Amino acid sequence: MALPMNNSNSTDGSGTSSSLAHTELLVFAVYKMILSPVTVLGNGLLVLTGCMDPHRSFRTPSALFLLTMSMANVFTGILVAPIFAAVEYNSFYGRDQLLNIAKFGSSFSLLTLNISFAMVFALAVDYFIAVFRPTKYRSWITMLRAKIFIAMTSLIALTFSLLPHLNVPFETVFKVDLHFNSTLNSALLVVSYVLLYIAFKNQTKKSLNLRRTGNCAANTEQVDKIFALQNKFRRLLLIFVVFSTVPAILSAIAAHFVAYCGPCQEYKSIVVVQEGCLNLIFMKCALDPFAFGWRLSRNRQALKKIICCQLQTVRQITPDNLQETRF
């Protein structure tokens, strides 16, 4: 997934003239600047927690996917969002369009956003195998394979991000990325969620049937646990769909309009909707750590332990100790 180089400028990727009203430019710029620190803080704390790992709970393939996604989101919040906000802010005041900076932001988004969405797909596959083949999970999903997948994904994303700086027209890179990464990844996400839902339904049905066999009726408490797990799974699936799949699909549709529907760029309402859909990507990056990381109590407890340990260390460093250290 990449953001068009001039999605906030007066022309789209194909050179077709289009413009946003000054109000929309300022709104989108402020929107990005508000989300930028939220993205950096939420994802940065998750990366910090994973690196220090006081509870040793981040040493799994799924945690590695989560931390990689968070790291990519941190760079999106630090570089990509502020760059596009600056371009839109300058356009609002009628200043230079900062095309070189916009080109760098767009090419860098090819790296960070593609890695972020790829990790969401990896998490979906991870959950699918955990549900569909729980006995095979540890042998199929290993740390080595997770690292290989992350390395390959990062290498592909890096290649795409470097192409605009190697005299390859950004329009060509944008269209190839649109089909190879954005559209394909969105389709794979939808397929993985459907398969994940079917696998979980089948596992739940088998569990209930096994408990109902024999002379005794199913234990009410055990059945309640199964249905509680099913409800928890539905909430998890809803999180995947709302926070990742919907932004991915809507932004991919908007990017198709930008790339292939020149006449559409003549209508302000269509352009504004396109920009709104593309900007959902930044919302996704900001909410990812809360949807996938901080909703788990063990991660919140790990962060709390890190903060408490640091505060305790600071309190132990008294002025007297500082003076002794100096001498």
PDB file of all heavy atoms in Angstrom, residues 37-38 51 63-64 88 99 101 110 112 130 141 181 184 193 210 212 215 222 224 229 287-288 297 310 325:
ATOM      1  N   PRO A  37       1.510  11.904  16.651  1.00  0.00           N
ATOM      2  CA  PRO A  37       2.019  11.556  17.995  1.00  0.00           C
ATOM      3  C   PRO A  37       1.294  10.374  18.623  1.00  0.00           C
ATOM      4  O   PRO A  37       1.902   9.605  19.373  1.00  0.00           O
ATOM      5  CB  PRO A  37       1.794  12.843  18.798  1.00  0.00           C
ATOM      6  CG  PRO A  37       0.741  13.592  18.067  1.00  0.00           C
ATOM      7  CD  PRO A  37       0.929  13.255  16.625  1.00  0.00           C
ATOM      8  N   VAL A  38      -0.001  10.222  18.320  1.00  0.00           N
ATOM      9  CA  VAL A  38      -0.745   9.068  18.838  1.00  0.00           C
ATOM     10  C   VAL A  38      -0.160   7.779  18.274  1.00  0.00           C
ATOM     11  O   VAL A  38       0.027   6.789  18.992  1.00  0.00           O
ATOM     12  CB  VAL A  38      -2.242   9.182  18.492  1.00  0.00           C
ATOM     13  CG1 VAL A  38      -3.000   7.937  18.940  1.00  0.00           C
ATOM     14  CG2 VAL A  38      -2.849  10.427  19.129  1.00  0.00           C
ATOM     15  N   CYS A  51      10.623  -5.171  23.464  1.00  0.00           N
ATOM     16  CA  CYS A  51      12.082  -5.282  23.544  1.00  0.00           C
ATOM     17  C   CYS A  51      12.542  -5.610  24.964  1.00  0.00           C
ATOM     18  O   CYS A  51      13.443  -6.432  25.159  1.00  0.00           O
ATOM     19  CB  CYS A  51      12.722  -3.981  23.062  1.00  0.00           C
ATOM     20  SG  CYS A  51      12.517  -3.667  21.295  1.00  0.00           S
ATOM     21  N   ALA A  63       3.875 -12.508  18.272  1.00  0.00           N
ATOM     22  CA  ALA A  63       4.406 -11.296  18.896  1.00  0.00           C
ATOM     23  C   ALA A  63       5.440 -10.628  17.997  1.00  0.00           C
ATOM     24  O   ALA A  63       5.518  -9.397  17.934  1.00  0.00           O
ATOM     25  CB  ALA A  63       5.023 -11.634  20.245  1.00  0.00           C
ATOM     26  N   LEU A  64       6.215 -11.432  17.281  1.00  0.00           N
ATOM     27  CA  LEU A  64       7.201 -10.878  16.355  1.00  0.00           C
ATOM     28  C   LEU A  64       6.510 -10.141  15.212  1.00  0.00           C
ATOM     29  O   LEU A  64       6.958  -9.055  14.800  1.00  0.00           O
ATOM     30  CB  LEU A  64       8.083 -12.005  15.807  1.00  0.00           C
ATOM     31  CG  LEU A  64       9.328 -11.580  15.026  1.00  0.00           C
ATOM     32  CD1 LEU A  64      10.254 -10.741  15.896  1.00  0.00           C
ATOM     33  CD2 LEU A  64      10.062 -12.808  14.505  1.00  0.00           C
ATOM     34  N   GLU A  88       0.296  19.315   2.499  1.00  0.00           N
ATOM     35  CA  GLU A  88      -1.068  19.852   2.484  1.00  0.00           C
ATOM     36  C   GLU A  88      -1.139  21.218   3.154  1.00  0.00           C
ATOM     37  O   GLU A  88      -1.891  22.104   2.702  1.00  0.00           O
ATOM     38  CB  GLU A  88      -2.008  18.858   3.182  1.00  0.00           C
ATOM     39  CG  GLU A  88      -2.216  17.584   2.389  1.00  0.00           C
ATOM     40  CD  GLU A  88      -2.814  16.456   3.207  1.00  0.00           C
ATOM     41  OE1 GLU A  88      -2.820  16.550   4.450  1.00  0.00           O
ATOM     42  OE2 GLU A  88      -3.262  15.464   2.599  1.00  0.00           O
ATOM     43  N   LEU A  99       7.507  19.112  -3.818  1.00  0.00           N
ATOM     44  CA  LEU A  99       7.379  17.867  -4.577  1.00  0.00           C
ATOM     45  C   LEU A  99       8.455  16.852  -4.211  1.00  0.00           C
ATOM     46  O   LEU A  99       8.193  15.642  -4.162  1.00  0.00           O
ATOM     47  CB  LEU A  99       7.422  18.167  -6.082  1.00  0.00           C
ATOM     48  CG  LEU A  99       6.206  18.910  -6.644  1.00  0.00           C
ATOM     49  CD1 LEU A  99       6.375  19.160  -8.128  1.00  0.00           C
ATOM     50  CD2 LEU A  99       4.930  18.101  -6.389  1.00  0.00           C
ATOM     51  N   ILE A 101       9.978  16.484  -1.298  1.00  0.00           N
ATOM     52  CA  ILE A 101       9.644  15.904  -0.001  1.00  0.00           C
ATOM     53  C   ILE A 101       8.455  14.965  -0.138  1.00  0.00           C
ATOM     54  O   ILE A 101       8.409  13.893   0.479  1.00  0.00           O
ATOM     55  CB  ILE A 101       9.348  17.024   1.023  1.00  0.00           C
ATOM     56  CG1 ILE A 101      10.595  17.871   1.242  1.00  0.00           C
ATOM     57  CG2 ILE A 101       8.865  16.426   2.346  1.00  0.00           C
ATOM     58  CD1 ILE A 101      10.394  19.008   2.207  1.00  0.00           C
ATOM     59  N   LEU A 110       5.789   3.314   0.763  1.00  0.00           N
ATOM     60  CA  LEU A 110       5.830   1.995   0.144  1.00  0.00           C
ATOM     61  C   LEU A 110       6.517   0.980   1.049  1.00  0.00           C
ATOM     62  O   LEU A 110       6.210  -0.215   0.998  1.00  0.00           O
ATOM     63  CB  LEU A 110       6.578   2.080  -1.200  1.00  0.00           C
ATOM     64  CG  LEU A 110       5.834   2.730  -2.364  1.00  0.00           C
ATOM     65  CD1 LEU A 110       6.818   3.120  -3.457  1.00  0.00           C
ATOM     66  CD2 LEU A 110       4.773   1.795  -2.909  1.00  0.00           C
ATOM     67  N   THR A 112       6.950   1.375   4.729  1.00  0.00           N
ATOM     68  CA  THR A 112       6.322   1.208   6.043  1.00  0.00           C
ATOM     69  C   THR A 112       4.916   0.628   5.953  1.00  0.00           C
ATOM     70  O   THR A 112       4.565  -0.282   6.713  1.00  0.00           O
ATOM     71  CB  THR A 112       6.271   2.556   6.767  1.00  0.00           C
ATOM     72  OG1 THR A 112       5.493   3.492   6.000  1.00  0.00           O
ATOM     73  CG2 THR A 112       7.663   3.110   6.961  1.00  0.00           C
ATOM     74  N   ALA A 130      -3.664 -21.611  14.156  1.00  0.00           N
ATOM     75  CA  ALA A 130      -3.880 -21.930  15.572  1.00  0.00           C
ATOM     76  C   ALA A 130      -5.256 -22.524  15.813  1.00  0.00           C
ATOM     77  O   ALA A 130      -5.435 -23.372  16.695  1.00  0.00           O
ATOM     78  CB  ALA A 130      -3.698 -20.673  16.421  1.00  0.00           C
ATOM     79  N   ILE A 141       4.317 -22.908  12.461  1.00  0.00           N
ATOM     80  CA  ILE A 141       4.642 -21.499  12.704  1.00  0.00           C
ATOM     81  C   ILE A 141       5.791 -21.440  13.714  1.00  0.00           C
ATOM     82  O   ILE A 141       5.577 -21.520  14.923  1.00  0.00           O
ATOM     83  CB  ILE A 141       3.419 -20.721  13.222  1.00  0.00           C
ATOM     84  CG1 ILE A 141       2.233 -20.895  12.283  1.00  0.00           C
ATOM     85  CG2 ILE A 141       3.764 -19.245  13.385  1.00  0.00           C
ATOM     86  CD1 ILE A 141       2.461 -20.326  10.904  1.00  0.00           C
ATOM     87  N   ASN A 181       0.570  -5.341  -4.224  1.00  0.00           N
ATOM     88  CA  ASN A 181       0.518  -5.257  -2.768  1.00  0.00           C
ATOM     89  C   ASN A 181      -0.874  -4.930  -2.247  1.00  0.00           C
ATOM     90  O   ASN A 181      -1.481  -5.722  -1.526  1.00  0.00           O
ATOM     91  CB  ASN A 181       1.522  -4.212  -2.257  1.00  0.00           C
ATOM     92  CG  ASN A 181       2.958  -4.675  -2.409  1.00  0.00           C
ATOM     93  OD1 ASN A 181       3.278  -5.835  -2.165  1.00  0.00           O
ATOM     94  ND2 ASN A 181       3.837  -3.778  -2.816  1.00  0.00           N
ATOM     95  N   LEU A 184      -3.939  -7.236  -3.893  1.00  0.00           N
ATOM     96  CA  LEU A 184      -3.707  -8.639  -3.551  1.00  0.00           C
ATOM     97  C   LEU A 184      -3.798  -8.852  -2.039  1.00  0.00           C
ATOM     98  O   LEU A 184      -4.417  -9.815  -1.567  1.00  0.00           O
ATOM     99  CB  LEU A 184      -2.343  -9.078  -4.069  1.00  0.00           C
ATOM    100  CG  LEU A 184      -1.941 -10.530  -3.774  1.00  0.00           C
ATOM    101  CD1 LEU A 184      -2.930 -11.497  -4.417  1.00  0.00           C
ATOM    102  CD2 LEU A 184      -0.529 -10.810  -4.267  1.00  0.00           C
ATOM    103  N   TYR A 193      -9.906 -14.273   6.478  1.00  0.00           N
ATOM    104  CA  TYR A 193     -10.912 -14.095   7.523  1.00  0.00           C
ATOM    105  C   TYR A 193     -12.087 -15.038   7.326  1.00  0.00           C
ATOM    106  O   TYR A 193     -12.626 -15.585   8.292  1.00  0.00           O
ATOM    107  CB  TYR A 193     -11.414 -12.651   7.543  1.00  0.00           C
ATOM    108  CG  TYR A 193     -10.356 -11.643   7.923  1.00  0.00           C
ATOM    109  CD1 TYR A 193     -10.466 -10.312   7.564  1.00  0.00           C
ATOM    110  CD2 TYR A 193      -9.224 -12.026   8.644  1.00  0.00           C
ATOM    111  CE1 TYR A 193      -9.494  -9.389   7.903  1.00  0.00           C
ATOM    112  CE2 TYR A 193      -8.248 -11.121   8.985  1.00  0.00           C
ATOM    113  CZ  TYR A 193      -8.393  -9.803   8.612  1.00  0.00           C
ATOM    114  OH  TYR A 193      -7.432  -8.891   8.955  1.00  0.00           O
ATOM    115  N   LEU A 210     -18.751 -33.658  20.434  1.00  0.00           N
ATOM    116  CA  LEU A 210     -18.024 -34.604  21.264  1.00  0.00           C
ATOM    117  C   LEU A 210     -18.527 -34.598  22.706  1.00  0.00           C
ATOM    118  O   LEU A 210     -18.597 -35.641  23.369  1.00  0.00           O
ATOM    119  CB  LEU A 210     -16.528 -34.278  21.241  1.00  0.00           C
ATOM    120  CG  LEU A 210     -15.773 -34.623  19.948  1.00  0.00           C
ATOM    121  CD1 LEU A 210     -14.350 -34.116  20.018  1.00  0.00           C
ATOM    122  CD2 LEU A 210     -15.794 -36.126  19.698  1.00  0.00           C
ATOM    123  N   ARG A 212     -21.523 -33.939  23.627  1.00  0.00           N
ATOM    124  CA  ARG A 212     -22.894 -34.426  23.709  1.00  0.00           C
ATOM    125  C   ARG A 212     -22.995 -35.931  23.474  1.00  0.00           C
ATOM    126  O   ARG A 212     -24.067 -36.509  23.556  1.00  0.00           O
ATOM    127  CB  ARG A 212     -23.776 -33.688  22.696  1.00  0.00           C
ATOM    128  CG  ARG A 212     -24.034 -32.231  23.083  1.00  0.00           C
ATOM    129  CD  ARG A 212     -25.148 -31.630  22.236  1.00  0.00           C
ATOM    130  NE  ARG A 212     -25.509 -30.322  22.688  1.00  0.00           N
ATOM    131  CZ  ARG A 212     -25.055 -29.174  22.208  1.00  0.00           C
ATOM    132  NH1 ARG A 212     -24.176 -29.208  21.231  1.00  0.00           N
ATOM    133  NH2 ARG A 212     -25.446 -28.011  22.693  1.00  0.00           N
ATOM    134  N   ASN A 215     -23.744 -41.184  27.328  1.00  0.00           N
ATOM    135  CA  ASN A 215     -25.012 -41.277  28.060  1.00  0.00           C
ATOM    136  C   ASN A 215     -25.404 -39.974  28.739  1.00  0.00           C
ATOM    137  O   ASN A 215     -26.571 -39.752  29.045  1.00  0.00           O
ATOM    138  CB  ASN A 215     -24.917 -42.381  29.122  1.00  0.00           C
ATOM    139  CG  ASN A 215     -24.680 -43.733  28.488  1.00  0.00           C
ATOM    140  OD1 ASN A 215     -25.173 -43.994  27.393  1.00  0.00           O
ATOM    141  ND2 ASN A 215     -23.921 -44.591  29.169  1.00  0.00           N
ATOM    142  N   GLN A 222     -19.019 -26.332  30.626  1.00  0.00           N
ATOM    143  CA  GLN A 222     -18.110 -26.491  29.498  1.00  0.00           C
ATOM    144  C   GLN A 222     -18.689 -25.880  28.230  1.00  0.00           C
ATOM    145  O   GLN A 222     -17.984 -25.260  27.439  1.00  0.00           O
ATOM    146  CB  GLN A 222     -17.802 -27.973  29.282  1.00  0.00           C
ATOM    147  CG  GLN A 222     -16.973 -28.593  30.405  1.00  0.00           C
ATOM    148  CD  GLN A 222     -16.788 -30.086  30.236  1.00  0.00           C
ATOM    149  OE1 GLN A 222     -17.620 -30.749  29.602  1.00  0.00           O
ATOM    150  NE2 GLN A 222     -15.700 -30.614  30.788  1.00  0.00           N
ATOM    151  N   ASP A 224     -20.772 -23.412  28.131  1.00  0.00           N
ATOM    152  CA  ASP A 224     -20.698 -21.957  28.312  1.00  0.00           C
ATOM    153  C   ASP A 224     -19.302 -21.444  27.969  1.00  0.00           C
ATOM    154  O   ASP A 224     -19.154 -20.363  27.388  1.00  0.00           O
ATOM    155  CB  ASP A 224     -21.052 -21.586  29.750  1.00  0.00           C
ATOM    156  CG  ASP A 224     -22.534 -21.791  30.056  1.00  0.00           C
ATOM    157  OD1 ASP A 224     -23.314 -21.870  29.084  1.00  0.00           O
ATOM    158  OD2 ASP A 224     -22.893 -21.896  31.241  1.00  0.00           O
ATOM    159  N   LEU A 229     -15.762 -18.536  24.339  1.00  0.00           N
ATOM    160  CA  LEU A 229     -14.630 -18.496  23.422  1.00  0.00           C
ATOM    161  C   LEU A 229     -15.069 -18.061  22.035  1.00  0.00           C
ATOM    162  O   LEU A 229     -14.373 -17.308  21.346  1.00  0.00           O
ATOM    163  CB  LEU A 229     -13.962 -19.878  23.368  1.00  0.00           C
ATOM    164  CG  LEU A 229     -12.739 -20.012  22.447  1.00  0.00           C
ATOM    165  CD1 LEU A 229     -11.626 -19.086  22.912  1.00  0.00           C
ATOM    166  CD2 LEU A 229     -12.259 -21.463  22.413  1.00  0.00           C
ATOM    167  N   LEU A 287      -4.346   3.078  15.443  1.00  0.00           N
ATOM    168  CA  LEU A 287      -5.177   2.204  16.268  1.00  0.00           C
ATOM    169  C   LEU A 287      -4.653   0.774  16.358  1.00  0.00           C
ATOM    170  O   LEU A 287      -5.126   0.003  17.196  1.00  0.00           O
ATOM    171  CB  LEU A 287      -6.606   2.192  15.733  1.00  0.00           C
ATOM    172  CG  LEU A 287      -7.363   3.528  15.784  1.00  0.00           C
ATOM    173  CD1 LEU A 287      -8.764   3.371  15.195  1.00  0.00           C
ATOM    174  CD2 LEU A 287      -7.444   4.053  17.207  1.00  0.00           C
ATOM    175  N   ASP A 288      -3.705   0.409  15.504  1.00  0.00           N
ATOM    176  CA  ASP A 288      -3.177  -0.963  15.502  1.00  0.00           C
ATOM    177  C   ASP A 288      -2.706  -1.429  16.880  1.00  0.00           C
ATOM    178  O   ASP A 288      -3.067  -2.533  17.316  1.00  0.00           O
ATOM    179  CB  ASP A 288      -2.021  -1.081  14.501  1.00  0.00           C
ATOM    180  CG  ASP A 288      -2.516  -1.414  13.105  1.00  0.00           C
ATOM    181  OD1 ASP A 288      -3.685  -1.821  12.970  1.00  0.00           O
ATOM    182  OD2 ASP A 288      -1.734  -1.252  12.145  1.00  0.00           O
ATOM    183  N   SER A 297      -4.328  -8.010  28.438  1.00  0.00           N
ATOM    184  CA  SER A 297      -3.946  -7.568  29.787  1.00  0.00           C
ATOM    185  C   SER A 297      -2.477  -7.839  30.082  1.00  0.00           C
ATOM    186  O   SER A 297      -1.834  -7.067  30.789  1.00  0.00           O
ATOM    187  CB  SER A 297      -4.830  -8.266  30.825  1.00  0.00           C
ATOM    188  OG  SER A 297      -4.687  -9.673  30.753  1.00  0.00           O
ATOM    189  N   GLN A 310      11.345   1.474  36.357  1.00  0.00           N
ATOM    190  CA  GLN A 310      12.099   2.679  36.029  1.00  0.00           C
ATOM    191  C   GLN A 310      11.903   3.752  37.089  1.00  0.00           C
ATOM    192  O   GLN A 310      12.847   4.450  37.468  1.00  0.00           O
ATOM    193  CB  GLN A 310      11.670   3.204  34.651  1.00  0.00           C
ATOM    194  CG  GLN A 310      12.013   2.282  33.502  1.00  0.00           C
ATOM    195  CD  GLN A 310      13.496   1.993  33.400  1.00  0.00           C
ATOM    196  OE1 GLN A 310      14.326   2.897  33.545  1.00  0.00           O
ATOM    197  NE2 GLN A 310      13.847   0.746  33.149  1.00  0.00           N
ATOM    198  N   THR A 325      28.638   9.890  43.466  1.00  0.00           N
ATOM    199  CA  THR A 325      29.060   9.454  42.137  1.00  0.00           C
ATOM    200  C   THR A 325      30.019  10.456  41.522  1.00  0.00           C
ATOM    201  O   THR A 325      30.980  10.084  40.844  1.00  0.00           O
ATOM    202  CB  THR A 325      27.827   9.268  41.236  1.00  0.00           C
ATOM    203  OG1 THR A 325      26.937   8.348  41.853  1.00  0.00           O
ATOM    204  CG2 THR A 325      28.230   8.742  39.866  1.00  0.00           C
TER     205      THR A 325
END
